[in-house]
Each structure stands twice: as C-alpha cells, then as structure tokens.
Amino acid sequence: MIDINNKNFNFYTAIEELTERNFKINEKFLNNVNFDQIVFVISEKYIPIRSEKLFRNQFDNIVKNIEKNKYFAASEILLSNFSLSHFENPSDFHINKSRFILVELNKFQSIKKSTETLLKLIKNGSIPIIVHPERNPTLQNIGSINNLKSLGVLFQLSLGSMISFYPEIIGSTAREFLLKGYYDFIATDFQNHQELNSEQINITLNELNSLIGNNKLNQLIDTNPKLVLDENLSNDYEIKS
C-alpha cells in the first residue's frame, strides 16, 4: 500500500492538479520489492469536507484508469470524524467493492468510544482495518487489542514505523505486536511514493522475515491483501492473523 496525503498535494486546489503523472511508479522499484498489488490511499482527514466527494471520485477514477487491475484506490477514514449519518452509504469507503474499510483511530479519543464506533461499522456490514496501531497510545493495552480482535477488527502494520521515521519506541511496539500475532496486513504506508527506497524496504522485510518467518510474512504482504482486493463479497474472507 502507498499512502498519498497532504505531503503531496494542497487539497484545496488538488482537484484541478490531480493527474495520472502523480501516480507513476518506478517499475524497477516494484520489481525490487516484489509487490503484486499497489493501493493508493487517500486520507479522509486531509480533504476539506466541501471537496471530499468530488476529490475521492476523481482520485478513484484516475488510479483505476492507469492500468486496470494493477493499481487500486482506497480511502482511509479518521474514526472520530466518521459518522454513519454523514454519508449516504458507508460502503463508499470500502476497498474495491469488498467490505473492508481502512480506519485510523484518533489518539485523543478513548478506546471505549472508538470501540463503540467500530461496532457500528461492523453492524452495518463493514470490516474495519486499523492502520498503524503501533503508533496509537490508546492501543498499547493488550486487553484492548484482544477485545478488538475478538470483535473481528483487523490490524495493519506500517513499514514506515520500523524505518526510523518515528521514535524508537514505535518500532519496538511494532515488533512486539508482530511477535504476538496481532497484525493481519503489512503495508508500506509511505506518504510520498516517489521517495520510496527499495533497498531500505528490503532490509526491513528481511528483518520481518527473521522475526516471523517467510510463510507468515508472505501471508501478511501478499495472501491477505489479495483477499481484500478480489471483490469477494462473501462473509468469510479467510483472513488469518
């Protein structure tokens, strides 16, 4: 996954500026890191409300038109800003016609309040994937994580958390969560895809391989993401932590 946000665009003018050239990815890079699927993610919290639907639609159309079935578009919502009554259909945020939805928990909101909102999403048919939980102080309690996992909430590790972009404690938390088996997905989650360093990523992937083994690593970066993108609308996606 590649996360594009306000590091790349000024979203008050980006609707006119958004073109296919913004999404060109070095093919050599893709070959070096061996990622089969690329998901460009737009963070809902960075888009002005007045432009949100228009921008998301254009973003989605451009990404899909680059090369069909190779690049995908998705939205990431900030949970505290998400109101089921604010949108005509929560499925607008689902990834590739599936029921999966990327969510970021607000670190200033209690885990109790976040859990209540997650339950509403689940009740309405969504499958929440919490992005970079290792960075959120409300998720440092093992009991909270186990409770969310029991509800069917999924977790995604961001490689950026382990590549000195953040304080060392975040990388340590990510490694602890990995060893405990909390993660269901691993994504690059970089804010500027044009600055991705394939050598750096491969070093991190090698470390992950030594921590959890090749089979588990492939499950988190390949098998499980494919289940999200295959447009399977059944109730059992066979996602395994």
Side-chain angles (χ1 to χ4, degrees):
M1 186 184 80
I2 297 175
D3 185 9
I4 299 176
N5 59 29
N6 67 337
K7 302 293 184 182
N8 295 74
F9 306 110
N10 170 0
F11 285 132
Y12 289 95
T13 59
I15 293 172
E16 291 77 25
E17 298 173 359
L18 199 62
T19 64
E20 290 188 18
R21 73 175 183 272
N22 296 123
F23 301 99
K24 286 185 178 177
I25 302 177
N26 188 311
E27 291 296 327
K28 182 179 179 182
F29 166 79
L30 292 181
N31 292 333
N32 286 339
V33 298
N34 196 29
F35 285 162
D36 291 331
Q37 303 87 25
I38 301 296
V39 183
F40 289 96
V41 177
I42 190 69
S43 297
E44 172 253 354
K45 65 183 179 183
Y46 294 123
I47 310 173
I49 293 177
R50 62 182 175 84
S51 304
E52 186 168 24
K53 190 163 186 176
L54 177 61
F55 186 89
R56 284 194 297 107
N57 287 340
Q58 184 166 339
F59 177 85
D60 185 67
N61 288 333
I62 287 177
V63 172
K64 286 184 176 179
N65 288 334
I66 296 175
E67 189 170 343
K68 190 172 178 60
N69 298 325
K70 182 171 183 180
Y71 299 135
F72 302 89
S75 298
E76 177 185 296
I77 64 172
L78 182 62
L79 202 65
S80 60
N81 288 348
F82 187 75
S83 167
L84 297 181
S85 62
H86 182 67
F87 303 97
E88 294 179 3
N89 190 350
S91 64
D92 289 345
F93 291 89
H94 289 173
I95 303 172
N96 204 41
K97 299 181 181 178
S98 70
R99 294 192 290 116
F100 296 95
I101 184 168
L102 292 171
V103 299
E104 178 181 359
L105 300 191
N106 189 322
K107 62 182 179 181
F108 300 111
Q109 180 173 275
S110 71
I111 189 62
K112 180 181 179 181
K113 185 66 176 178
S114 294
T115 301
E116 290 174 359
T117 309
L118 287 167
L119 282 171
K120 289 180 182 178
L121 285 174
I122 293 170
K123 184 178 179 180
N124 279 273
S126 298
I127 303 174
I129 302 174
I130 295 178
V131 299
H132 46 72
E134 64 276 358
R135 300 180 200 165
N136 193 304
T138 68
L139 287 173
Q140 305 312 303
N141 182 287
I142 292 177
S144 297
I145 294 179
N146 287 335
N147 179 51
L148 291 177
K149 297 290 284 185
S150 71
L151 297 175
V153 177
L154 305 176
F155 291 81
Q156 178 175 276
L157 166 66
S158 295
L159 287 183
S161 297
M162 302 181 67
I163 309 181
S164 70
F165 290 176
Y166 296 90
E168 186 175 343
I169 184 63
I170 291 178
S172 298
T173 300
R175 291 171 177 84
E176 179 185 355
F177 285 6
L178 265 171
L179 293 173
K180 290 182 181 296
Y182 291 152
Y183 292 114
D184 305 279
F185 309 92
I186 295 176
T188 57
D189 197 23
F190 287 117
Q191 295 174 340
N192 187 342
H193 70 281
Q194 295 173 352
E195 295 179 0
L196 286 171
N197 184 312
S198 59
E199 181 180 359
Q200 193 175 44
I201 288 178
N202 281 325
I203 289 173
T204 306
L205 290 176
N206 286 335
E207 179 191 354
L208 294 177
N209 187 64
S210 66
L211 284 172
I212 60 177
N214 187 61
N215 289 340
K216 184 65 175 181
L217 180 59
N218 284 337
Q219 177 187 316
L220 299 185
I221 68 173
D222 184 45
T223 306
N224 285 355
K226 283 181 178 177
L227 291 171
V228 172
L229 296 172
D230 69 1
E231 299 187 13
N232 180 353
L233 301 181
S234 69
N235 290 323
D236 184 6
Y237 287 88
E238 299 180 353
I239 298 294
K240 298 177 180 177
S241 298

